[in-house]
């Protein structure tokens, strides 16, 4: 009975008062059993998919349409897509679901996002973004009385800052990955303590550094306008944190260890090179971040949720990539992130 009341209260939030009045006048009070059955269904689907409810229960849920997201690209792209389309759906008072795909299967192994997995067929009519790395009103302007397939990059924090707590809950690591990342940090800390004869009481500040180079240096990408951050940027960024903290460790994840070991200082600097999702988890468990380019960098910092230092020239001037950003690039880089220019 307690559950029933709890659920019913929860359910009431989703039903406009006028609707209930009309329902009561037309049909009398809804039968308790049918309400309970519907609530069970709502619980199962986490109110994310009215179409998944049995026909008999649909009248209980106000008719909302659904944004169905088709994922594309890799980890960082997928996180932008999920966060942004979730935010857009919320802003437009629509439901959010993910189209089942291989991407999703992999994401599920990394994050606890089971509650979002609904296997339904997505609509054909689709909406996409034009400027991948900026906020666009246009994708918010379509009417919300139709289901849509969402396909694009949506790489702007402006799409989802209003649902930040929910996004953080959604992107919680699976325990196995979290534990492995924690072990790595612990191991490095122990090693560091021994090396510098520190006591375990010295509280440590972890600064994650992500250095993306590899694919960004390929001729094709250079032509499109992709850039990498230069050595001096990392040096200045590390100095920024050295000035603030006494006991710190830099944790570096990179696809170019050779360049990094040659160009970065060595003191209190440790390299982690495991599966990409372990590196990602380690970076996002650090207290603060130094990022380079690309959405993997971006998300490791957003999840770490401390101070973030970034390289403010993500593209070469007069290139294709430049056309994907807003002129000030602040649609892409959150306002409290700190640019370090050189
Ligand atoms: C629905 O979920 C809530 C909390 O998630 C739970 O307390 C309740 O027992 C569930 N109700 C039913 C009918 O399954
Ligand atoms: C429902 O989904 C939201 C995110 O969409 C999540 O925060 C919440 O914990 C989920 N609730 C249940 C009962 O699964
Ligand atoms: C999703 O639904 C389709 C069609 O109903 C089915 O072929 C597919 O196996 C389902 N996938 C999962 C993971 O349940
Ligand atoms: C722990 O650190 C030591 C020294 O750096 C290293 O040799 C070892 O492989 C590490 N173990 C794990 C589980 O990371
Ligand atoms: C470290 O902490 C332990 C207990 O928390 C305490 O007994 C010890 O004196 C501390 N050592 C130093 C050097 O502060
Ligand atoms: C810094 O990060 C470590 C590792 O995730 C965490 O245990 C610690 O609580 C963090 N410190 C602060 C001050 O947030």
């Amino acid at each position: 009975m307690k559950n029933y009341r709890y659920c019913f209260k929860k359910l009431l939030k989703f039903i406009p008062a006028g609707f209930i009045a009309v329902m009561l006048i037309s049909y009398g009070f809804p039968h308790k059993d049918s309400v309970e059955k519907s609530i069970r269904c709502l619980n199962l689907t986490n109110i994310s998919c009215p179409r998944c409810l049995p026909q008999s229960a649909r009248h209980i849920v106000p008719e909302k349409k659904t944004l169905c997201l088709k994922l594309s690209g890799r980890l960082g792209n997928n996180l932008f897509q999920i966060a942004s389309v979730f935010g857009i759906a919320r802003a437009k008072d629509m439901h959010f679901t993910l189209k089942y795909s291989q991407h999703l299967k992999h994401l599920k192994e990394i994050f606890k996002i089971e509650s979002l997995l609904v296997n339904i067929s997505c609509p054909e009519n689709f909406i996409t973004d034009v400027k991948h790395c900026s906020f666009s009103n246009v994708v918010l302007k379509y009417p919300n009385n139709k289901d849509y397939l969402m396909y694009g990059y949506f790489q702007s924090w402006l799409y989802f800052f209003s649902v930040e707590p929910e996004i953080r809950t959604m992107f919680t690591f699976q325990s196995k990955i979290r534990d492995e990342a924690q072990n790595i940090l612990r191991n490095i800390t122990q090693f560091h303590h021994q090396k510098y004869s520190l006591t375990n009481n010295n509280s440590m500040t972890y600064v994650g550094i992500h250095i993306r180079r590899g694919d960004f240096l390929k001729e094709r990408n250079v032509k499109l306008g992709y850039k990498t951050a230069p050595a001096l940027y990392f040096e200045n960024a590390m100095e920024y944190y050295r000035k603030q903290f006494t006991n710190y460790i830099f944790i570096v994840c990179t696809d170019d260890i050779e360049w990094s070991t040659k160009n970065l200082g060595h003191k209190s600097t440790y390299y982690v090179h495991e599966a990409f999702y372990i590196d990602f988890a380690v970076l996002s468990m650090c207290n603060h971040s130094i990022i380079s380019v690309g959405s993997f960098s971006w998300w490791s910092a957003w999840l770490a949720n401390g101070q973030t230092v970034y390289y403010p020239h993500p593209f070469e001037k007069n290139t294709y990539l430049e056309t994907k950003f807003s002129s000030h690039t602040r649609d892409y880089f959150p306002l409290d992130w700190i640019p370090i220019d050189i």
Side-chain angles (χ1 to χ4, degrees):
M1 194 56 202
K2 197 161 156 261
N3 278 345
Y4 171 71
R5 250 185 279 129
Y6 167 81
C7 288
F8 197 66
K9 251 199 262 165
K10 242 182 140 170
L11 185 64
L12 282 179
K13 279 205 296 197
F14 292 87
I15 309 179
F19 180 82
I20 293 176
V22 169
M23 213 162 85
L24 289 178
I25 291 163
S26 331
Y27 305 107
F29 199 76
H31 193 266
K32 180 171 164 284
D33 287 348
S34 83
V35 171
E36 264 189 345
K37 201 164 139 205
S38 310
I39 288 169
R40 264 200 306 279
C41 294
L42 285 173
N43 266 14
L44 281 180
T45 57
N46 199 2
I47 322 195
S48 63
C49 175
R51 281 188 290 161
C52 308
L53 293 173
Q55 192 68 44
S56 61
R58 284 185 204 173
H59 69 280
I60 300 236
V61 188
E63 187 61 31
K64 275 194 200 181
K65 297 296 180 178
T66 299
L67 295 183
C68 185
L69 169 64
K70 183 176 183 218
L71 295 169
S72 58
R74 292 189 285 172
L75 181 65
N77 302 116
N78 292 169
L79 298 185
F80 265 121
Q81 288 156 352
I82 292 174
S84 292
V85 175
F86 182 87
I88 293 169
R90 182 58 62 81
K92 296 186 69 66
D93 195 24
M94 295 174 81
H95 295 291
F96 170 76
T97 69
L98 283 160
K99 186 177 166 68
Y100 186 81
S101 68
Q102 214 46 31
H103 294 95
L104 192 50
K105 208 173 138 221
H106 292 143
L107 277 182
K108 204 176 113 185
E109 285 158 15
I110 305 177
F111 302 105
K112 297 182 171 172
I113 52 171
E114 283 83 355
S115 65
L116 292 174
L117 307 182
V118 179
N119 191 14
I120 56 162
S121 58
C122 283
E124 298 282 308
N125 45 330
F126 73 95
I127 290 174
T128 187
D129 61 350
V130 180
K131 286 185 146 218
H132 303 327
C133 302
S134 43
F135 175 78
S136 161
N137 241 336
V138 175
V139 300
L140 285 161
K141 277 192 178 148
Y142 52 87
N144 67 355
N145 59 1
K146 245 194 219 151
D147 297 329
Y148 288 99
L149 177 67
M150 304 293 280
Y151 180 72
Y153 287 94
F154 307 105
Q155 304 196 40
S156 172
W157 58 274
L158 285 161
Y159 289 121
F160 55 83
F161 74 97
S162 61
V163 289
E164 175 173 339
E166 281 145 295
I167 302 295
R168 289 197 185 281
T169 306
M170 234 188 279
F171 297 160
T172 305
F173 287 99
Q174 294 288 6
S175 317
K176 207 176 131 217
I177 292 175
R178 185 202 57 209
D179 293 349
E180 197 169 335
Q182 270 169 355
N183 279 342
I184 290 172
L185 279 184
R186 206 171 296 136
N187 191 16
I188 290 173
T189 309
Q190 254 170 29
F191 181 84
H192 186 79
H193 274 115
Q194 276 162 17
K195 188 168 167 192
Y196 295 100
S197 314
L198 303 172
T199 64
N200 280 324
N201 305 22
N202 295 323
S203 81
M204 192 56 76
T205 299
Y206 302 90
V207 177
I209 305 183
H210 182 246
I211 306 182
R212 170 97 167 251
R213 290 174 57 78
D215 56 336
F216 277 49
L217 291 171
K218 287 195 177 138
E219 198 187 332
R220 194 176 70 93
N221 286 331
V222 170
K223 271 196 189 137
L224 289 172
Y226 286 90
K227 280 180 77 165
T228 54
L232 189 54
Y233 158 73
F234 291 107
E235 183 44 40
N236 291 349
M238 288 164 88
E239 190 54 27
Y240 170 86
Y241 287 114
R242 281 193 207 105
K243 277 195 202 136
Q244 272 187 69
F245 303 108
T246 323
N247 293 306
Y248 53 81
I249 288 179
F250 291 114
I251 306 280
V252 184
C253 296
T254 179
D255 55 8
D256 195 341
I257 290 197
E258 201 188 322
W259 184 91
S260 303
T261 47
K262 205 152 78 192
N263 288 283
L264 259 55
H266 294 272
K267 190 165 177 291
S268 307
T269 303
Y270 297 87
Y271 287 79
V272 172
H273 190 61
E274 304 286 334
F276 73 93
Y277 49 86
I278 300 292
D279 288 2
F280 187 72
V282 168
L283 289 173
S284 61
M285 278 171 199
C286 288
N287 306 109
H288 306 291
S289 314
I290 294 175
I291 64 170
S292 53
V293 285
S295 51
F296 185 98
S297 253
W298 196 102
W299 276 98
S300 69
W302 194 84
L303 291 174
N305 204 15
Q307 299 179 52
T308 300
V309 166
Y310 71 94
Y311 178 59
H313 306 290
F315 53 80
E316 201 65 62
K317 288 252 179 318
N318 305 315
T319 58
Y320 165 84
L321 189 58
E322 181 176 16
T323 66
K324 300 300 174 193
F325 282 86
S326 57
S327 58
H328 44 71
T329 68
R330 280 308 209 178
D331 286 12
Y332 185 70
F333 297 114
L335 300 178
D336 57 345
W337 288 13
I338 305 143
I340 291 204
D341 216 337
I342 53 165

